[in-house]
Amino acid sequence: MFRVPLLIAVALVIAFGGGILTTLSALNASAGFGAIRLGVWSAFPDVQTADADPYAKSHRAKAGRLLYGSAEGLSFTASSDEDGNLLTGTCSYRIVGRTPAARLWTLYAADPDGRPLVPRADLPSAHNSQGILRHRDGSFEISVSATARPMNWLALPDTGAFSLVLTLLDTPAAGSSGLIGLEMPKVESLGCGQ
């Protein structure tokens, strides 16, 4: 007597549970289509527009993030160095070069979920274009490590994998003019365990 309703209940749990798990894994696998890559940096310029694909819209809703409009800015993410190795908190890196033209840019380290990494309160956890020390030619060099470095230093907690997030605000790169020919800084490894 209770066998048929029990089988129906089990089938519904499997169907709904499987559907939810499949959807969550698809959302975690990609932030959407239309990614552009400039060296080790990648961005999704269409993710904040009405033309974004359904996966990008779902990913944005799941993360609960407020994204910049296409005329406001563009966020680039780097999860590996120039040699293709994943960024990890036990290694040291240097970011060297220039950014595309922007009124302001910000740089910080983030965990795999995109949340900013927070080292001890008295250490520099982010930089921006207004407070960075530059070379005479306008280029800059930022050390990223768990141990203190001279000049521009971005402190890391001794953590596992992380990514660097470079946000360009009020930049022509965020418009529809295309991103070909833009110069992005390089992310070079300085070694591990230092």
Side-chain angles (χ1 to χ4, degrees):
M1 178 170 188
F2 292 110
R3 184 175 175 188
V4 173
L6 180 64
L7 290 176
I8 292 173
V10 168
L12 288 174
V13 167
I14 291 172
F16 284 114
I20 290 171
L21 290 176
T22 302
T23 302
L24 288 176
S25 67
L27 289 177
N28 290 333
S30 170
F33 301 103
I36 53 129
R37 285 190 65 83
L38 298 170
V40 297
W41 301 94
S42 61
F44 295 89
D46 293 332
V47 77
Q48 69 266 19
T49 66
D51 298 330
D53 63 271
Y55 289 102
K57 289 178 182 178
S58 298
H59 194 273
R60 180 177 62 201
K62 178 180 175 272
R65 292 192 189 122
L66 180 63
L67 300 174
Y68 301 107
S70 60
E72 295 174 330
L74 186 59
S75 289
F76 287 89
T77 305
S79 298
S80 62
D81 61 17
E82 296 296 323
D83 297 327
N85 300 318
L86 289 178
L87 300 177
T88 179
T90 57
C91 297
S92 298
Y93 304 92
R94 91 180 171 143
I95 302 167
V96 61
R98 292 187 164 94
T99 63
R103 185 176 305 269
L104 176 74
W105 57 259
T106 61
L107 174 73
Y108 64 90
D111 67 12
D113 292 328
R115 292 183 302 262
L117 293 177
V118 182
R120 289 194 337 243
D122 54 340
L123 300 179
S125 61
H127 282 294
N128 64 54
S129 58
Q130 303 297 315
I132 204 83
L133 298 173
R134 297 178 185 271
H135 300 293
R136 288 183 183 219
D137 64 356
S139 64
F140 59 86
E141 184 176 327
I142 300 172
S143 298
V144 181
S145 68
T147 58
R149 302 285 175 135
M151 304 292 285
N152 302 315
W153 171 50
L154 183 66
L156 287 176
D158 192 7
T159 183
F162 72 93
S163 59
L164 295 167
V165 179
L166 176 67
T167 303
L168 306 173
L169 299 168
D170 195 12
T171 177
S176 60
S177 60
L179 297 165
I180 296 172
L182 294 180
E183 182 181 1
M184 293 295 286
K186 296 189 180 308
V187 180
E188 300 171 347
S189 176
L190 298 175
C192 296
Q194 300 177 3

